[in-house]
Amino acid sequence: MTLLRINTDPAAFGTPTVFAGTPAPGWRWTPDALGAADYVVEAPDAVRTQIAAALDAVHRNGLDLDTVEMEDLRLPGLAEVVPRLHDRLDGGPGFAILRGLALDALPEDDAGIAAWGVANYVGRPIRQGLKKDRRIFTVTNYKSGNDDPIRIGATSALSPPHTDNGCLEPRSPDYIVLACYRQARQGGDSTLISAYALHAAFAARRPDLLPLLYQPYHFLPPKLHTWPAGPATIVKPIFAAEGDALYVHYARVMIEPGMKLAGTPLTAAQCEALDLLDELLVDPAIVFTCRMAAGDILFSNNRSMVHGRLAFEDDPDRPRCLKRLWLWQRHRGAGGDPVSLDRREMVA
């Protein structure tokens, strides 16, 4: 099975193998054992000066978020800390907060451009929409402007733990980036759960149901992440094992309507398995909760973690505002080389 390829046929997945590997030591954490030193990375002071200089050149040359390129946002001070970010994302707790860039002191459009430039050093940004939000999605309470029930993140309600599924691309994002421009008056804390901890907790409770989570499920893409001429659903398992790696794809709000649309509504046993999964996703024994400060950038591994957000209450004059990016890895696997990518994703 090729895990990276988006499939539309459940038969393409064959017989799944339940994870029996040994996760890296950094993944075996409990929320009460994590301290700030495990996930907070301070940006060098020089990076703020480099961001200011890059933005000045962007303005003088009439560039904006859609026209700026990586070469326009050279931030050599980040070279010192990107390896530490990768260590935490790939073999540590699975997430990291980059602090000290003072993005919240910039005009909002500039903060988005700067966040995009910083993210470029960690991975390759991929699109989040076809006609809008291509490079960045602004996470805020859109109120009446959101008519898609799948997009809970565009409201102020609780966003249950999930993965971002990036249904426009051949594979899901490797990393999720959330740059906090303004925090909510109350609530809005991020929740993070290791796939390994979730898998172990499920296996301890109901090992008989665990194989059901390795079956292929139909996910209904959000309206903004649907190809006009593409498949109605995307098919993938919730858990997938590849050696000592365990991958997770989950969004109950996408699975239930997707399975119904495909003509294969969830069975009683599948519902029981997903109900237990949802119960574990709020278990404080495995859920880490953190609150970003304005200016922080949260990076999380989207293939080996699930993430969510608590409900929040806005200051009416200063609504919560985050800038989200999706990244593919450049430093591992096929990276960005098109030949290697084609061989891995498209050549049987």
Side-chain angles (χ1 to χ4, degrees), residues 95-119:
F95 65 94
I97 288 179
L98 181 61
R99 181 163 288 165
L101 296 179
L103 300 185
D104 54 314
L106 300 171
E108 184 178 337
D109 287 349
D110 283 1
I113 293 172
W116 185 84
V118 169

Side-chain angles (χ1 to χ4, degrees), residues 240-315:
E242 193 175 78
D244 283 341
L246 175 68
Y247 302 124
V248 63
H249 321 94
Y250 190 62
R252 182 82 179 256
V253 72
M254 296 171 68
I255 291 173
E256 288 194 280
M259 294 291 282
K260 185 177 180 180
L261 180 64
T264 57
L266 292 170
T267 66
Q270 288 173 328
C271 284
E272 188 177 6
L274 297 194
D275 286 345
L276 175 56
L277 197 63
D278 288 341
E279 179 184 335
L280 293 170
L281 288 171
V282 294
D283 183 350
I286 62 172
V287 179
F288 182 75
T289 302
C290 67
R291 182 176 179 81
M292 283 186 285
D296 285 352
I297 302 182
L298 172 64
F299 297 84
S300 62
N301 187 315
N302 188 54
R303 300 187 70 199
S304 297
M305 298 201 72
V306 289
H307 66 278
R309 184 207 64 218
L310 302 182
F312 64 88
E313 179 182 332
D314 268 332
D315 183 325

Side-chain angles (χ1 to χ4, degrees), residues 49 52 56 59 61-62 105 142 147 154-155 207 232 242 254 260 269 289 293 326:
T49 302
D56 180 62
H59 295 152
N61 288 288
Y142 285 90
D147 63 353
T155 73
E242 193 175 78
M254 296 171 68
K260 185 177 180 180
T289 302
W326 289 339

Side-chain angles (χ1 to χ4, degrees), residues 26-75:
W27 286 102
R28 299 195 292 267
W29 53 265
T30 56
D32 57 352
L34 280 180
D38 295 309
Y39 60 89
V40 174
V41 175
E42 294 286 346
D45 293 342
V47 181
R48 292 192 296 275
T49 302
Q50 292 161 7
I51 288 174
L55 288 173
D56 180 62
V58 164
H59 295 152
R60 286 187 285 106
N61 288 288
L63 302 175
D64 58 21
L65 181 62
D66 289 327
T67 56
V68 72
E69 296 295 344
M70 181 174 66
E71 291 74 18
D72 305 316
L73 295 164
R74 301 302 297 273
L75 309 172

